[in-house]
Amino acid sequence: MPNVVIVGAQWGDEGKGKVVDRYGARASWVVRFQGGNNAGHTLVVDGRETILHLVPSGILHPDTRCAIGNGVVIDLRVLCDEITALKAQGVDPTNRLFVSYGAHLIMPYHRRLDLARERFRGVDKIGTTGRGIGPAYEDKIARRGVRIADLSDPERVRGLVEQRVAELNALLVANNDTKPYQRAEIDSLVQETVELGQELAPYFANVGEQLAKASRDGAQILFEGAQGVLLDIDHGTYPFVTSSNTVGSNAATGTGLGPQHLGRVVGITKAYTTRVGAGPFPTELHDALGEQLRENGREFGATTGRPRRCGWLDFVALRYAVRVAGIEQIVLTKLDVLSGLDQISICTGYEIDGERFTTYPDNAHDVARVTPVYEMMPGFADIRQARNIEDLPKNARAYVDRIAEELNVSLALLSVGPGRGEDIEIVDPFQS
Ligand code: GDP
Ligand code: IMO
Ligand code: MG
C-alpha cells in the first residue's frame, strides 16, 4: 500500500488539516516536512475546533504517531504552547510526537527581522505571517542556523547566537529597527532557548531513522504539507511565496527518507480560490460575490486572522500545480460554500495583450498581468448533508466531474463541511 503526501494545490488554507485528520486514522505516522508556524491547520471534531501550527494534524488520533521532520523550522515557544494546549484538551503527545534533531530553530531575532523587513519594504510587502520563517530559512541555507541537535550544548547555542547577533544588529538598524540587541537581551535569549530545549527534550528524536524503521515494518506514512504549490519558493508566484519547497518531492528531503517512500501525492484544492498576503491572483473577486465567499467560507486566516482574498477556481493554476507537484489525486474542499449561487465561473485560460494561453506563465510577473477567461456553470442548492456522490444534485456533480476531467486526476474525497465526517469518500489514496 502506498504512502501518501498531502499538498495544498493553491495558495494555502485549502483544508489540509481537515483532510490529514480524515486520513490520519489510517496512517501509523503523520509527518510534517516543511514550513513552520506560518501554517494554521484547522480540525473540527465533534464541534470543537483545534488549530495546529506545528504539531501534525494526526495528533487527535491516539494510535497515530506524529513527527516534525528536519525540513521544518521550529519556534520552540510555539511548540511548547501548542503541546500545553493539547494536553489541556486531553490529548497527550508524549511518546507519540517526535521532533527531528536536524530541524532548524526560529529564533526571536528571526521574527524581529521578518517584521522589520516587511515594514521596510513599503509597497512591495509580501504580507508574511511575521513568524520569522524567511529569516530562519535564510540562516539555514547560509549555514549559520541553530538546530535542535545544538540544544544539548548550551555553549554551542551561545556561540551561534552571539556570532549571529553581531551581524544582525547592523541588519536590524539598516531595516529601520532602532533597537539592536544588547548584552542582557542576548543572555536571556540564550537562556530561554536552552530552557525550552530542556523542556522539550523528551520529544527530540532521530526522525529519519524512526521513519525508515517504521517503513521496513510496513507502516503507512502520511506526509503533511503546509502552504500550497503556488507559495513554493521555486515554483510559486515568486517573490510572493514562502521560503520553503511546498511540493511533494520535498517530503523526502524534509524527513530523511528516500523518494521511493513517498507514494502518492494528493493535492487539496478548494472549490474556489483564496490567498492571504500580497501577490498576483488572477481570478480574485473584488465585488460583493468575493465578500459572499469570504463570509460563507469563513475565510479569515487561521494563523494571523487576516481576511483571505477570494475568487473563482483557476484551471490554469491548478493544471500547473498538478504538474509541478506530481498530484495524482485531488481532494476538493468547501464545495458547500458555493451552494446557493446562481452561476459558478471557472477560469479556463488567460489572456495577455489579446493573446490567449492555457499554461501558467514562465515569468511569475506575467501572472499579475493576465485577464482570466471564464466558463460558466449552473449553481446548486445546499449539499452539506451529502455523504455519497449520488446525494449530490446534478449541477454539483457536473461541477465536480468537470474539475476531475480537466485536471486529468481522480477525485479522492469531496468535503462539504468543516467537521470530521462531513465529506464524501470516492477512493482511498492508501489503497488505490
Ligand atoms: P489548511 O491550512 O489547509 O489546513 O486550511 P485552514 O485550516 O487554514 O483553512 C480551512 C478552513 O476551512 C478551516 O476553517 C476549516 O475548518 C474549513 N473547512 C475545511 N473543509 C471545509 C469544507 O469542506 N467546508 C467548509 N465550509 N469549511 C471547511
Ligand atoms: P497553511 O499551511 C496561507 C503566505 C503568507 C505570505 C507568504 C509568505 O495554513 O496553508 P511567510 O510567513 O511564509 O514568509 O509568508 O505566504 N502563507 C500562507 N498563506 N496559508 C499558509 O499556510 C501560509 N503560510 C504562509 O500569507 O503571503
Ligand atoms: Mg491554514
Side-chain angles (χ1 to χ4, degrees), residues 140-221:
K140 170 177 176 172
I141 301 303
R143 296 165 294 186
R144 58 181 178 224
V146 187
R147 300 192 300 165
I148 294 285
D150 297 319
L151 289 169
S152 59
D153 181 351
E155 281 317 301
R156 183 165 171 74
V157 175
R158 173 174 293 280
L160 287 166
V161 168
E162 284 184 350
Q163 205 175 348
R164 188 68 201 109
V165 167
E167 206 180 338
L168 243 154
N169 272 344
L171 211 57
L172 283 169
V173 172
N175 279 284
N176 282 2
D177 185 315
T178 50
K179 286 190 236 136
Y181 280 96
Q182 307 291 325
R183 180 81 256 154
E185 217 179 339
I186 297 172
D187 288 345
S188 67
L189 188 158
V190 170
Q191 194 185 339
E192 193 200 14
T193 305
V194 169
E195 281 172 9
L196 281 166
Q198 284 163 352
E199 196 175 335
L200 291 166
Y203 297 98
F204 301 158
N206 185 340
V207 164
E209 194 55 44
Q210 277 181 319
L211 293 176
K213 179 174 183 313
S215 205
R216 280 195 300 274
D217 295 343
Q220 295 273 271
I221 303 172

Side-chain angles (χ1 to χ4, degrees), residues 11-13 16 38-41 126-130 133 226-227 231 241-242 276-278 306:
W11 280 291
D13 303 328
K16 298 176 292 292
N38 47 349
H41 296 176
I126 293 173
T128 71
T129 59
I133 305 296
Q227 291 82 53
L231 288 171
V241 293
T242 191
V276 209
R306 290 177 289 177

Side-chain angles (χ1 to χ4, degrees), residues 273-281 284 286 294 299 307-311:
T273 310
T274 64
R275 175 165 206 171
V276 209
F281 179 177
E284 182 169 11
H286 297 280
R294 187 172 308 114
E299 295 294 357
R308 295 175 182 151
R309 302 155 64 191
C310 298

